[in-house]
Amino acid sequence: MTLTWILTVVCALLIAQLIFVLLNAKALPVPGRRTKPIEGRPLVSVLIPARDEERNIEDCLRRVLASDDSEFRLEVIVYDDDSSDDTGGIVRRIAMEDSRVGLMQGGELPSGWKGKCYACHNLAERASGSWYLMLDADVRLEPKAIRDTLRSGQKKKAGLVTGFPKQVTVTPLEKLVVPMMEFVILCHLPIAMVSRSRSGLFAAAHGAYMLIKKSAYESAGGYEAVKNEMVDDMAMARAVKKAGYKMLLADMSKHAHMRMYHSGREVWNGFSKNLFSGLGKNYLLLSGLLIWYIGLYLLPPVALLIGLFSGNMHLAAFSGGAMLLGMAIKAVCDARGGLTAWHGVWIAATIACTLAIALSSVFGGLSGQGHEWKGRRYG
């Protein structure tokens, strides 16, 4: 009977969560909607940090250069962060074809800096635009992406416009774990408060696509203010808000897509590197999230088996209902991100994998081993 009552509470919580997610998904703005043309044709500096991005950089640059720049001027600068492949050579060849492209050659990483932060810092020092678009090399832009985000930024008087590109996933662990980024945002962050509140509590960003006004960047202290942050995008978003600027979290799924990782190992290493740091290395918060996710998404399938084998049909019914609600929540989040909604049926496997990565992230820090990414080890 006790387990049946627990599942009754779980169902009530999941219903509340589903309602919250539906309202939250509706509040996520799409760049360019109900906006006016940009005045004055400002210069936008597209800044791309690249380390061993031979497989991505050419397609990324071609997409950027094909942007509809009828309402703004464009410059593109790539920082070759001591790549061991032909990243720099590819950029040089494209720069010879198009004068809008420039290349910065990176060197040894100074003490106290994270690699991407140092690359973005140097890019901003070189940039001439009144807006900086910090863009990852694995992002593929649609022609109107920059125009529409710039329009929305000017309309909302925002210092930062960011959002989640559509995530391209191929391998099983990619499909299970990568969409969790948007799931967590839609389930826990009131989207409307991101632009309305000045509190850093209501901040979220995706470092793959961050359009920052130059004045906001400078007022926030630039990347030097967050130089040792592992989750630099969140740190920069909070710094922009602290400097008194508004930010806009937008739905970028129709304007850009990306494949962050290309294997299960990359997914594991990439999320292990960032997950615990993203929680501020707060053990209390981590414990709360573990209890929440286990109770809402992993307990129901276990309780369903117990109910079926023990003949407790009330328990089985509530457990089945909880599982369907969990699947519905995941389906809404996936659909909002431009992904296939039916992947929601795997919510229990998704949560189990994510929690395993979270524990790996904690262990990497406690053991002193840290996490390796692109030839660098982070604590």
Side-chain angles (χ1 to χ4, degrees):
M1 183 62 71
T2 302
L3 191 54
T4 303
W5 277 108
I6 291 174
L7 265 296
T8 305
V9 173
V10 167
C11 283
L13 290 173
L14 286 168
I15 290 170
Q17 182 76 93
L18 179 58
I19 293 170
F20 180 82
V21 166
L22 287 167
L23 295 174
N24 225 17
K26 190 176 181 180
L28 196 62
V30 176
R33 283 191 180 173
R34 293 185 290 275
T35 56
K36 296 179 181 179
I38 304 160
E39 297 180 356
R41 290 199 75 211
L43 177 64
V44 177
S45 300
V46 179
L47 308 177
I48 307 174
R51 179 174 171 85
D52 294 338
E53 292 289 356
E54 184 179 58
R55 68 185 176 191
N56 284 314
I57 194 64
E58 180 168 3
D59 197 15
C60 176
L61 283 174
R62 301 289 183 195
R63 292 292 194 109
V64 171
L65 295 171
S67 296
D68 175 2
D69 60 354
S70 58
E71 297 178 16
F72 63 91
R73 292 169 293 128
L74 179 69
E75 74 168 357
V76 186
I77 309 172
V78 178
Y79 184 90
D80 180 10
D81 188 7
D82 198 24
S83 296
S84 59
D85 61 11
D86 194 34
T87 298
I90 294 169
V91 177
R92 287 188 193 92
R93 290 193 288 273
I94 295 175
M96 292 178 66
E97 303 170 8
D98 196 316
S99 61
R100 295 176 294 175
V101 178
L103 173 66
M104 294 183 70
Q105 189 63 52
E108 186 176 346
L109 181 65
S111 176
W113 283 84
K114 292 293 189 288
K116 185 177 180 181
C117 293
Y118 188 63
C120 290
H121 167 74
N122 281 284
L123 285 164
E125 290 288 301
R126 167 92 171 262
S128 303
S130 56
W131 287 85
Y132 303 155
L133 175 57
M134 301 297 178
L135 187 72
D136 280 2
D138 48 12
V139 176
R140 306 292 180 262
L141 298 182
E142 297 300 322
K144 291 181 171 55
I146 300 175
R147 188 204 71 177
D148 285 354
T149 46
L150 187 54
R151 280 185 176 187
S152 291
Q154 290 196 339
K155 178 184 177 180
K156 297 293 184 180
K157 296 184 170 73
L160 168 64
V161 184
T162 183
F164 290 77
K166 179 180 177 180
Q167 300 296 321
V168 177
T169 56
V170 178
T171 64
L173 202 59
E174 287 177 74
K175 292 180 182 295
L176 288 174
V177 176
V178 172
M180 275 297 289
M181 293 184 297
E182 193 150 0
F183 177 87
V184 170
I185 295 297
L186 290 176
C187 284
H188 302 294
L189 179 69
I191 298 297
M193 296 300 292
V194 173
S195 59
R196 293 176 185 172
S197 172
R198 291 191 175 185
S199 171
L201 292 173
F202 302 106
H206 197 305
Y209 191 101
M210 296 179 67
L211 182 67
I212 309 177
K213 195 171 186 177
K214 179 181 179 180
S215 58
Y217 176 85
E218 292 176 342
S219 297
Y223 274 93
E224 191 164 8
V226 298
K227 63 183 181 181
N228 199 34
E229 294 285 347
M230 181 63 71
V231 189
D232 56 276
D233 48 4
M234 290 290 292
M236 180 58 72
R238 293 190 185 104
V240 167
K241 296 191 86 170
K242 186 177 180 180
Y245 286 83
K246 291 177 65 176
M247 69 164 291
L248 184 66
L249 182 66
D251 174 12
M252 294 298 302
S253 62
K254 293 181 176 61
H255 288 79
H257 67 271
M258 66 185 300
R259 187 178 179 192
M260 290 180 64
Y261 305 114
H262 288 253
S263 68
R265 179 180 292 274
E266 286 189 9
V267 172
W268 189 277
N269 291 340
F271 278 94
S272 294
K273 171 174 65 75
N274 292 331
L275 206 154
F276 192 41
S277 295
L279 296 176
K281 296 189 175 180
N282 186 320
Y283 289 97
L284 185 62
L285 178 57
L286 175 66
S287 300
L289 288 174
L290 285 172
I291 293 169
W292 178 265
Y293 282 120
I294 290 171
L296 265 60
Y297 301 104
L298 298 185
L299 178 61
V302 174
L304 176 62
L305 292 175
I306 293 172
L308 290 175
F309 282 108
S310 66
N312 187 339
M313 290 302 104
H314 283 92
L315 177 59
F318 279 111
S319 301
M323 290 176 65
L324 290 174
L325 286 166
M327 293 174 189
I329 292 167
K330 184 63 162 58
V332 171
C333 295
D334 285 349
R336 196 66 180 88
L339 303 174
T340 307
W342 70 263
H343 285 167
V345 302
W346 304 110
I347 180 63
T350 290
I351 296 299
C353 290
T354 304
L355 296 185
I357 291 173
L359 294 175
S360 171
S361 183
V362 174
F363 178 76
L366 287 175
S367 66
Q369 294 178 359
H371 303 280
E372 186 173 335
W373 186 250
K374 291 191 175 182
R376 288 176 176 150
R377 185 160 290 277
Y378 299 97

